């Protein structure tokens, strides 16, 4: 603006005025902008809370399902051999084959690979070239022939069998160990890790800390790659079992479905083998006797010596039963097949703790009611175990973290999570951690989606937020009847309106999600009259969003939505040959049993309506994938995943 | 006896507690002092940094621990909301502020000018804050901020 000393007094005054105005203007803009950013931050945290609480609520569903089975076991006396067969199928699906039977059933040697097959061909013992061929093939979206998949699984099983429950890694051999957390079928993240950090090799050790499968769409590819590297570099590659390396969990969370879709003919064999291989996965890894790596966490009774001795392969069903830590089997004069099934009900508590526990800020150790298995362990428990075994710190996974990793308990517990964009594109980063001989952790964070980088912070947050609220509105719809009762309790004069304060309290009392409802209200309740909400029309609006089938009773639809996840799991259990079809009769029986247990009032007409809306020309069979999709019961997350995989064409940066 | 006013106060308190708990990671009714700004702002207030410091002085412990207790925060924040302190900045006032920085009244501010004003004047932005604002506000073709458009876009986003 020129040299001040040469200014005329008038110009000087004008300059001073402008500068003071500029100052004030700047303050105003900064003030306004900082408020905008703070609101964004609040929205981001609320969105996170929504996803987490829904995710954990779903895990609770699994417990309800188990309670349903327990209820059946305890109260249901099959009145015909048909009914007995039907029930037994629900339980014996967890059985493990005897070794010889398994080999015979999952035989691959007689399988021929046609000349037209252009994918990788594996021969054993595997070599590094096979690994690179596989990586390249999967990048090109090719599929490995079933014969090689089964062969690989057989060899993997042979290898895992000779491993102890707790693997030992030393930083003497390879200077550096890289630890990765949950991958959940997100192959792009694994590609990124290998790209950034290098492939496993004699000078590059890796520990993969469980939850390789479920939710993401490329769980099988991840398993194939991990098992391949495991066999090529047995000294350098270590795998820990996670709570998702489990057949029942796989039925619910998508892995079983993925395998059956990709391998229509041999899928069942592949699943059976994988089920067995999962049982043989080690439970923990120790680095230099100083750092303990487990998937979930610990408890105040964790005993490494005992853990070392447990027969880990007997735990076919890693999933906890809902009836608490001490399972009492009630005898009801049942036949031997009842008691045989019962003994499979719950795995040993030490294993549950390792696979399912979560750290908490408060001291102590209490039952993990959210997950239904394992416990919440406090900093005092961590200290106790670290001291007992002369350890420096714990590494675990199991919980999604916004930055891909997080310390707690005074930096003595590290959570590492390697699936980026886990809830939605832009929701979180993934990370892996490297440890050298000094055992000082170095982190690398990433977000394996080109889209995430091109979005501004606002767009990223908005997008994740939209997704979270969609899921939340669906949950609200699924509890319509309970909500109406709760609202009416606040509307004694029957005006049809309640205050927003009452709304918040009512919603929490029904959903039990522990969410900050008053903060979320502007996104959920669009219109109010004098600060009061007309709740019936609000619920009607929610219903309109969800309704895809006009003629089905709204209450029935609500029931289906509320129990969607359980229904799907039950279908898959009944469908033993994984054909995707169950008979109409089976469907009716399932539905009847289920509704009796859940105290759902449903007329036979209601069921018939349901069935009539399904295309029924399959010899009295129901294709339940069609059923689920027809009612838009495909999880929103699956829709999002489809969007994600389309966007992942751009891969990583 | 619950009067209508008490009901309103109770509701305000519940709101404050909710916002506080979102940032209470240890679930022990304390938050990091650096998060207070976010909490206050997400409750609808537009304090300047100076005003925020004043508020902090009221809620901090005698010997600052780096943490703020809900016990101390709640009454102070309740009063803030009841008194409607730190009023929102209306759209037209914001517009005037941008116009004041637009010397030639051409409807836009260049990137360099905006950076200069916002990182050197007022309560200066950090590099991160500046970068972040530019990522949405800047028109990459002209390297300027067309502030009218920017404001309209941000206001829509808010509702």
């Amino acid at each position: 603006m020129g040299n001040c000393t040469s200014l005329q007094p008038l110009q000087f005054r004008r300059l001073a005025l402008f500068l003071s105005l500029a100052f004030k203007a700047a303050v105003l803009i900064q003030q306004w902008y900082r408020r905008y950013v703070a609101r964004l931050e609040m929205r981001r945290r609320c969105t996170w809370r929504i996803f987490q609480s829904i995710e954990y609520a779903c895990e609770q569903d699994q417990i309800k399902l188990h309670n349903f089975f327990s209820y059946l076991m305890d109260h249901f006396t099959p009145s015909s051999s048909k009914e007995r067969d039907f029930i037994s199928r629900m339980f014996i699906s967890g059985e493990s084959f005897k070794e010889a039977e398994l080999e015979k059933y999952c035989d691959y040697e007689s399988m021929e690979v046609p000349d037209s097959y252009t994918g990788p061909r594996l021969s054993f013992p595997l070599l590094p070239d096979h690994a690179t061929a596989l990586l390249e093939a999967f990048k090109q979206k090719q599929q490995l022939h079933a014969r090689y998949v089964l062969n690989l699984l057989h060899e993997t099983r042979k290898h895992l069998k000779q491993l102890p429950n707790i693997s030992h890694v030393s930083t003497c051999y390879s200077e550096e160990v890289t630890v990765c957390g949950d991958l959940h079928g997100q192959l792009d993240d694994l590609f990124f890790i290998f790209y950034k950090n290098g492939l496993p090799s004699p000078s590059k050790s890796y520990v993969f800390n469980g939850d390789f499968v479920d939710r993401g769409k490329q769980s099988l590819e991840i398993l194939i790659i991990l098992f391949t590297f495991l066999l090529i570099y047995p000294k350098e590659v270590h795998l820990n079992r996670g709570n998702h390396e489990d057949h029942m969990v796989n039925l619910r969370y998508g892995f079983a479905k993925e395998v059956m879709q990709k391998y229509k003919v041999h899928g069942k064999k592949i699943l059976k083998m994988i089920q067995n291989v999962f049982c043989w996965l080690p439970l923990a890894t120790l680095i230099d006797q100083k750092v303990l790596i487990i998937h979930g966490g610990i408890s105040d009774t964790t005993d490494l010596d005992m853990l070392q001795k447990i027969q880990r392969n007997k735990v076919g069903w890693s999933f906890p039963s809902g009836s608490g830590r001490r399972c009492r089997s009630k005898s009801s004069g049942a036949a031997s097949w009842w008691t045989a099934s019962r003994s499979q009900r719950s795995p040993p508590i030490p294993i549950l703790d390792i696979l399912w526990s979560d750290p908490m800020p408060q001291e102590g150790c209490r039952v993990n009611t959210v997950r239904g298995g394992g416990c919440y362990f406090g900093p005092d428990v961590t200290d106790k175990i670290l001291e007992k075994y002369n350890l420096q710190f714990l590494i675990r996974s199991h919980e999604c973290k916004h930055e891909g990793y997080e310390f707690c308990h005074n930096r003595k517990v590290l959570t590492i999570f390697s699936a980026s964009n886990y809830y939605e594109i832009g929701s979180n980063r993934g990370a892996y951690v490297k440890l050298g001989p000094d055992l000082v952790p170095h982190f690398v964070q990433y977000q394996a989606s080109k889209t995430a980088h091109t979005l501004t912070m606002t767009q990223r947050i908005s997008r994740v937020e939209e997704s979270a609220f969609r899921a939340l509105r669906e949950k609200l719809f699924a509890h319509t009847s309970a909500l109406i009762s709760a609202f009416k309790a606040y509307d004694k004069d029957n005006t049809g309106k309640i205050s927003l304060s009452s709304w918040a309290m009512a919603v929490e009392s029904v959903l039990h999600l522990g969410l900050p409802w008053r903060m979320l209200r502007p996104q959920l309740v669009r219109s109010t009259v004098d600060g009061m909400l007309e709740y019936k029309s609000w619920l009607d609006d929610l219903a309109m969003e969800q309704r895809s089938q006009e003629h089905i009773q709204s209450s029935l639809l609500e029931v289906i939505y509320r129990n969607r996840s359980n229904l799907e799991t039950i279908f898959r259990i009944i469908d033993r040959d994984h054909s995707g079809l169950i008979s109409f009769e089976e469907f009716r029986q399932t539905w009847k049993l289920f509704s009796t247990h859940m105290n759902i009032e449903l007329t036979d007409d209601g069921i018939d309506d349901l069935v009539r809306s399904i295309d029924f020309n399959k010899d009295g069979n129901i294709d339940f994938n069609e059923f689920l999709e027809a009612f838009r019961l495909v999880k929103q997350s699956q829709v999002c995943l489809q969007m994600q995989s389309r966007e992942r064409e751009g891969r990583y940066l | 006896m619950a009067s209508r006013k008490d009901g309103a106060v109770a509701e305000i308190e519940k709101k404050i507690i909710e916002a506080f708990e979102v940032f209470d990671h240890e679930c022990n009714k304390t938050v990091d002092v650096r998060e207070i700004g976010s909490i206050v702002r997400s409750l609808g207030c537009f304090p300047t940094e100076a005003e925020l410091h004043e508020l902090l002085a009221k809620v901090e412990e005698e010997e600052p621990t780096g943490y703020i207790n809900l016990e101390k925060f709640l009454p102070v924040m309740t009063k803030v909301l009841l008194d409607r302190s730190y009023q929102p900045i209306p759209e037209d006032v914001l517009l005037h502020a941008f116009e004041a920085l637009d010397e030639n009244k051409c409807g836009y501010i260049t990137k360099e000018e905006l950076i200069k004003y916002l990182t050197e004047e007022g309560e200066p932005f950090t590099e991160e804050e500046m970068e972040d604002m530019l990522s949405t506000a800047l028109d990459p073709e002209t390297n300027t901020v067309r502030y009218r458009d920017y404001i309209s876009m941000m206001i829509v986003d808010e509702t």
Side-chain angles (χ1 to χ4, degrees), chain A residues 79-98:
Chain A
S79 59
S80 68
S81 61
K82 215 174 170 195
E83 277 186 344
R84 184 178 130 150
D85 275 341
F86 179 67
I87 300 294
S88 73
R89 280 160 64 176
M90 291 204 205
F91 298 98
I92 313 294
S93 63
E95 81 186 304
S96 40
F97 273 88
K98 292 209 186 66

Side-chain angles (χ1 to χ4, degrees), chain A residues 30-31 33 36 458 501, chain B residues 11 25 46 118 123 132 157:
Chain A
Q30 288 148 348
Q31 188 179 348
Y33 186 76
Y36 175 79
T458 313
S501 174
Chain B
E11 187 55 17
H25 304 293
F46 285 69
L118 296 181
E123 295 176 325
D132 197 68
D157 220 22

Side-chain angles (χ1 to χ4, degrees), chain B residues 3-59:
Chain B
S3 71
R4 200 141 174 253
K5 186 149 182 240
D6 283 344
V9 170
E11 187 55 17
I12 286 179
E13 287 186 342
K14 285 200 190 116
K15 236 183 147 178
I16 296 172
I17 295 173
E18 254 191 16
F20 191 90
E21 283 179 348
V22 173
F23 289 88
D24 177 9
H25 304 293
E26 316 236 322
C27 307
N28 58 358
K29 310 262 191 277
T30 66
V31 300
D32 190 316
V33 64
R34 292 165 291 188
E35 315 262 40
I36 289 291
S38 301
I39 298 176
V40 173
R41 288 172 169 129
S42 60
L43 284 165
C45 303
F46 285 69
T48 61
E49 293 290 294
E51 286 168 332
L52 206 54
H53 280 121
E54 270 175 39
L55 185 98
L56 270 172
K58 294 189 202 150
V59 298

Side-chain angles (χ1 to χ4, degrees), chain A residues 463-635:
Chain A
R463 188 196 185 114
V464 186
E465 197 182 35
E466 234 177 77
S467 187
F469 277 101
R470 222 181 299 133
L472 194 54
R473 281 196 291 267
E474 193 191 285
K475 251 216 157 4
L476 286 166
F477 165 73
H479 289 86
T480 303
S481 327
L483 282 172
I484 291 193
S485 315
F487 290 152
K488 287 208 170 119
Y490 284 100
D491 179 24
K492 294 268 159 59
D493 298 330
N494 229 335
T495 59
K497 301 195 199 125
I498 49 170
S499 72
L500 293 171
S501 174
S502 309
W503 172 85
M505 291 192 282
V507 172
E508 178 56 26
S509 73
V510 170
L511 290 191
H512 298 295
L513 288 174
L515 290 174
W517 294 104
R518 289 168 187 81
M519 299 253 96
L520 303 176
R521 189 198 50 76
Q523 306 269 36
L524 293 170
V525 177
R526 295 290 176 171
S527 54
T528 53
V529 182
D530 300 324
M532 303 285 272
L533 168 68
E534 283 177 358
Y535 51 88
K536 269 240 91 203
S537 61
W538 179 69
L539 286 169
D540 284 339
D541 286 341
L542 276 181
M544 289 246 276
E545 270 181 60
Q546 311 297 335
R547 289 262 283 265
S548 58
Q549 305 279 328
E550 291 294 308
H551 58 285
I552 301 300
Q553 299 166 331
S554 182
S555 58
L556 174 57
L557 206 59
E558 187 191 322
V559 165
I560 294 177
Y561 267 83
R562 196 158 61 236
N563 298 286
R564 179 228 352 248
S565 192
N566 285 339
L567 269 178
E568 184 170 353
T569 310
I570 292 177
F571 282 155
R572 293 198 190 285
I573 294 173
I574 295 173
D575 175 29
R576 288 196 77 203
D577 58 4
H578 300 288
S579 60
L581 302 171
I582 59 173
S583 78
F584 174 39
E585 222 7 76
E586 285 166 342
F587 173 73
R588 269 181 148 264
Q589 278 178 334
T590 315
W591 189 256
K592 272 199 140 146
L593 279 172
F594 193 71
S595 45
T596 319
H597 169 65
M598 303 293 272
N599 284 323
I600 298 165
E601 272 190 42
L602 215 46
T603 59
D604 279 346
D605 280 345
I607 305 182
D608 286 341
D609 268 345
L610 196 63
V611 157
R612 229 179 287 130
S613 70
I614 304 168
D615 184 7
F616 223 15
N617 56 2
K618 294 181 172 112
D619 324 308
N621 280 326
I622 294 177
D623 179 328
F624 61 81
N625 282 317
E626 271 187 20
F627 168 70
L628 295 172
E629 275 161 23
F631 285 88
R632 286 223 260 124
L633 294 179
V634 174
K635 276 191 182 181

